[in-house]
Amino acid sequence: MIGRLNHVGVATPSIDESVKLYRDLLGATRIGEKFALPEQGVWVCFVDLPNSQIELIEPHGDASPLLGFLAKNPKGGQHHVCFEVEDIIAARDAMRAKGATVLGTGEPRIGAHGTPVIFLHPKDMGGVLVELMETPKDAH
Ligand code: CO
């Protein structure tokens, strides 16, 4: 069911400042351009690692779901983990059947990698916000 760890989501008040940490302190060399996902209220920037990615996310707009997180964690912090699944609809239905809470309407949205994603409520996941993402068809 659960597949590859696609990325770890890290919320930040400033992607530009966070990029400096990953590039200058940790030595990451493959860092993408920042881009907006207005429907999700975030700016996104991927830091590529040999085995996964860090997804830096910064609030975009006044209704960003990240604003509440940053109010509690002003410096930012680890926000979610994203696992790949083969079929997002099958995964959603299986999660619901097992009692997990799918956030929002439950209809998958297009995520930062251009494939459908859903989020599982942390209350059912030991406090961890989990993103499930359909594996890109041309990946791996
Ligand atoms: Co994510």
Side-chain angles (χ1 to χ4, degrees):
M1 179 76 205
I2 192 175
R4 185 174 171 272
L5 172 68
N6 184 276
H7 62 262
V8 174
V10 174
T12 172
S14 167
I15 283 177
D16 293 339
E17 291 302 312
S18 288
V19 160
K20 292 179 190 168
L21 295 176
Y22 286 88
R23 186 188 58 211
D24 301 339
L25 184 63
L26 293 176
T29 55
R30 294 185 2 203
I31 300 175
E33 292 294 320
K34 179 168 80 171
F35 62 97
L37 282 182
E39 322 79 53
Q40 307 210 12
V42 291
W43 289 96
V44 181
C45 175
F46 283 106
V47 178
D48 291 347
L49 309 176
N51 66 337
S52 194
Q53 291 179 305
I54 301 297
E55 180 189 47
L56 299 173
I57 45 178
E58 175 186 324
H60 179 287
D62 294 337
S64 174
L66 284 184
L67 291 172
F69 182 90
L70 288 175
K72 286 183 229 152
N73 306 276
K75 292 185 167 181
Q78 195 256 304
H79 182 263
H80 65 273
V81 293
C82 176
F83 302 111
E84 294 183 13
V85 296
E86 283 298 313
D87 181 321
I88 198 72
I89 298 296
R92 177 198 64 191
D93 294 348
M95 291 300 105
R96 281 181 170 159
K98 293 181 194 180
T101 305
V102 178
L103 292 181
T105 64
E107 284 311 304
R109 295 185 302 178
I110 298 302
H113 285 298
T115 68
V117 304
I118 59 170
F119 285 89
L120 303 178
H121 198 294
K123 70 180 177 161
D124 308 315
M125 286 299 306
V128 178
L129 177 60
V130 170
E131 178 181 10
L132 298 179
M133 160 189 158
E134 199 164 272
T135 304
K137 296 304 176 215
D138 56 356
H140 322 309

